[in-house]
Amino acid sequence: MQLPFDIAPATAVFLMVLFGLYRALQQRDRDKNQEDPKPKVKWRGPDMTFSAGRDAAHQNARFLQVFIPMEPQEEPALRHFYLDVLGLTEMRAPNYPKDMDGFWAVSGSRQIYLGTLPSFPFDTTSIPAFPISNLDMVAERLTTAGYRVNWNHDIAYVKRLVVTDPADNQIGLIAG
């Protein structure tokens, strides 16, 4: 490409570096300004294996942890239900308490712990609910697998169903 004026290649590189530094300083100032609505720049380092908490932190998401109780002998059936039928992703246990039994799964901004005795407190007063992408397909899969699906229309703008897992826990699935 021919420029309308002569410029030395070293000068062009110098100007590009200078412009890059200027933009970096602008971004740093925006990151310090809490009222700025622009998204902050997120850097991901090497060796970042999947961790729901870390990925949510990178997206400025608020995480909710859900506890679903089970007996040790129910783990294979619950693994099949949550990971295969519902299509949740299994995750490694968070870095804080090391629960020896059960497993962790993630759905949207929800970390779901299925185990016998958690080493930290959970809210056990309400039906655990979490988002599921393509809820209609999951409802069809649940019906095919022999689970009874109850659609909940209490909130007009929320597509939600309630199903009972193999350990007789009721869970809510929300289109998300």
Side-chain angles (χ1 to χ4, degrees):
M1 176 175 115
Q2 184 66 24
L3 295 175
F5 52 91
D6 283 339
I7 187 168
T11 306
V13 170
F14 174 77
L15 290 174
M16 288 191 302
V17 169
L18 195 61
F19 180 73
L21 288 172
Y22 172 73
R23 293 293 304 244
L25 287 173
Q26 278 185 324
Q27 183 63 47
R28 189 178 71 178
D29 290 342
R30 278 195 304 266
D31 287 350
K32 288 180 183 177
N33 182 1
Q34 296 298 320
E35 287 79 31
D36 185 26
K38 288 188 175 184
K40 311 298 184 224
V41 173
K42 303 295 178 208
W43 298 97
R44 292 195 68 147
D47 299 322
M48 288 274 200
T49 57
F50 177 75
S51 166
R54 182 173 36 241
D55 289 350
H58 279 283
Q59 297 170 9
N60 291 332
R62 181 174 173 264
F63 245 113
L64 175 69
Q65 292 180 326
V66 177
F67 170 62
I68 298 177
M70 71 170 195
E71 295 297 322
Q73 68 273 14
E74 295 172 330
E75 185 171 343
L78 289 174
R79 276 185 180 276
H80 172 70
F81 178 78
Y82 285 95
L83 303 178
D84 298 333
V85 178
L86 293 184
L88 302 183
T89 304
E90 186 171 3
M91 61 175 269
R92 63 182 176 80
N95 292 335
Y96 51 91
K98 299 292 182 199
D99 297 303
M100 299 307 288
D101 66 337
F103 64 98
W104 286 82
V106 65
S107 174
S109 63
R110 306 294 194 276
Q111 292 176 340
I112 300 122
Y113 169 62
L114 292 102
T116 55
L117 294 172
S119 56
F120 55 97
F122 281 94
D123 174 20
T124 57
T125 59
S126 59
I127 294 177
F130 40 88
I132 296 286
S133 59
N134 203 346
L135 187 61
D136 292 324
M137 184 182 75
V138 170
E140 195 174 298
R141 235 186 300 160
L142 285 166
T143 305
T144 304
Y147 295 98
R148 187 167 171 244
V149 173
N150 298 315
W151 289 97
N152 183 311
H153 302 287
D154 290 345
I155 303 172
Y157 55 87
V158 176
K159 191 172 187 180
R160 178 178 184 222
L161 66 87
V162 178
V163 66
T164 303
D165 72 10
D168 287 331
N169 298 307
Q170 276 195 329
I171 58 168
L173 304 175
I174 302 165

